[in-house]
Amino acid sequence: MAFSGLLRPAVLAASRSPRVERAITRMPATKKMVDRFVAGETERDAVAVSSALLGSGRFVSVDYLGEDTTDLDRARGTVAHYLRLLSALADLRAVDEAPVPRLEVSLKLSALGQRLPQNGYAIAREHAYEICTAAKAAGVWVTVDAEDHTTTESTLAIVRELRLDFPWLGTVLQAYLKRTEEDCRTFAGPGARIRLCKGAYREPAAVAYQSRSAVDESYLRCLRILMEGKGYPMVATHDPALIGAALGHVRESGRKSGDFEFQMLHGIRDAEQRRLVGAGHSLRVYVPYGDQWYGYFMRRLAERPANIAFFLRSFGRDR
């Protein structure tokens, strides 16, 4: 426990290091781990994985990987990827008659230009609006991902603006941020879709809970607010205790399977995903794709000591 507690901040710090990125992306062992978490590099890869998941009774949320873009052309390139993805997903949507859309895309505003030095807010909002417009035509939902705390206020402000035209737009709140309990109260109204996760970035103690127990307690408080609210909670966790707590809230609130959903990551706890679906619950799998996988991959390593241990053993064999 102590080892993993020390190693996690180091791995998260490495996720922002170009030097470490160059070293890790060249390692043969890396590809095996990346293939576990990432669907592939192309829209075709993402659609193939999504089709298989839909066939198993699960929902999907597809994310084109990328973040912290400071180049306008690259931001436009990300929009183009989403437009191609939505066009491809529309073919899967043709057989989707569920009242809750089984297909969704997730997007990071920093990949759409949020961090551009000139007019980043307006550019990211315009790009997200374009993607939401295409998603609406395709019958696909959109959820705006959370990133580190420096983007939270800007992200939530853009979400509020976009929801005026796209009231089904979802967003992500991270339980490790101390502000999130109040954000849950703000966003728990009718029609709101909130994906509640623990949080995956390295954050200072001034804004985020640092211990696992404090994060779990915050998650439980936020979960209660969302379950007692009028929106559509999306319970993003692999933690058995939190899954159990969510099911308890469902029984207490009288929510049905179409009133909330579980969410898990592609490549993690597949048997549990299938068990929840078999028990009649809606479960959506977060499916990332693209060649900008390094930051996402490192955050997945940091989440579980077993992931880090497996990677380090593979690293040792490669040397």
Side-chain angles (χ1 to χ4, degrees):
M1 186 70 165
F3 175 73
S4 63
L6 292 172
L7 198 52
R8 183 175 186 274
V11 174
L12 290 176
S15 72
R16 298 280 189 173
S17 168
R19 181 176 63 84
V20 177
E21 179 178 1
R22 285 192 296 272
I24 288 180
T25 53
R26 293 170 181 169
M27 291 169 48
T30 303
K31 186 177 188 306
K32 181 187 294 185
M33 288 290 286
V34 171
D35 287 346
R36 173 184 170 184
F37 299 123
V38 178
E41 294 192 355
T42 69
E43 283 76 35
R44 179 179 294 180
D45 295 329
V47 170
V49 170
S50 298
S51 179
L53 289 167
L54 291 174
S56 71
R58 286 171 277 189
F59 301 176
V60 295
S61 184
V62 187
D63 174 37
Y64 176 67
L65 291 170
E67 54 195 271
D68 297 336
T69 298
T70 55
D71 177 83
L72 181 57
D73 287 340
R74 186 169 172 181
R76 284 300 309 165
T78 296
V79 174
H81 273 284
Y82 273 104
L83 296 182
R84 289 196 295 272
L85 172 65
L86 287 164
S87 178
L89 290 178
D91 293 334
L92 296 181
R93 173 67 179 81
V95 297
D96 186 1
E97 300 298 333
V100 171
R102 299 194 301 159
L103 287 165
E104 178 190 77
V105 297
S106 291
L107 53 88
K108 288 182 171 59
L109 293 181
S110 78
L112 302 183
Q114 187 180 32
R115 293 188 186 274
L116 289 170
Q118 299 293 326
N119 301 317
Y121 181 99
I123 290 168
R125 180 186 59 198
E126 178 182 338
H127 286 163
Y129 195 99
E130 185 175 355
I131 293 169
C132 287
T133 300
K136 181 179 179 181
V140 175
W141 266 352
V142 178
T143 288
V144 176
D145 271 332
E147 303 183 60
D148 70 68
H149 80 278
T150 64
T151 68
T152 303
E153 196 61 43
S154 170
T155 295
L156 295 182
I158 289 174
V159 167
R160 289 188 189 96
E161 291 188 47
L162 292 174
R163 288 196 72 234
L164 296 175
D165 289 328
F166 310 102
W168 41 263
L169 180 68
T171 193
V172 179
L173 297 177
Q174 302 178 103
Y176 69 175
L177 294 181
K178 295 177 179 178
R179 62 172 288 165
T180 297
E181 195 171 346
E182 185 56 36
D183 286 333
C184 284
R185 292 191 180 93
T186 300
F187 279 90
R193 292 196 307 114
I194 298 298
R195 178 193 298 158
L196 181 64
C197 66
K198 288 187 179 182
Y201 293 82
R202 188 184 184 190
E203 301 284 14
V207 301
Y209 300 109
Q210 300 296 302
S211 72
R212 177 176 177 177
S213 60
V215 174
D216 286 353
E217 290 166 5
S218 175
Y219 194 105
L220 290 170
R221 292 193 300 271
C222 293
L223 180 63
R224 177 174 290 277
I225 292 168
L226 295 177
M227 284 291 184
E228 292 178 350
K230 303 295 186 182
Y232 180 85
M234 300 182 291
V235 185
T237 184
H238 305 96
D239 188 325
L242 297 182
I243 292 170
L247 292 173
H249 286 307
V250 168
R251 289 190 293 270
E252 292 173 7
S253 64
R255 285 182 179 269
K256 296 179 174 56
S257 60
D259 298 332
F260 79 104
E261 66 184 47
F262 288 105
Q263 295 193 354
M264 293 188 183
L265 300 173
H266 173 58
I268 299 181
R269 300 204 72 195
D270 185 75
E272 177 65 1
Q273 293 180 21
R274 293 175 183 273
R275 185 191 72 80
L276 288 168
V277 171
H281 301 296
S282 299
L283 183 137
R284 193 177 304 271
V285 182
Y286 186 90
V287 178
Y289 80 101
D291 58 6
Q292 300 298 310
W293 47 258
Y294 175 73
Y296 177 84
F297 169 70
M298 294 297 283
R299 290 193 292 273
R300 299 294 76 76
L301 286 186
E303 285 174 344
R304 295 181 67 235
N307 292 341
I308 300 173
F310 178 83
F311 185 71
L312 290 176
R313 286 196 301 271
S314 301
F315 175 74
R317 288 194 293 268
D318 285 340
R319 291 180 65 84

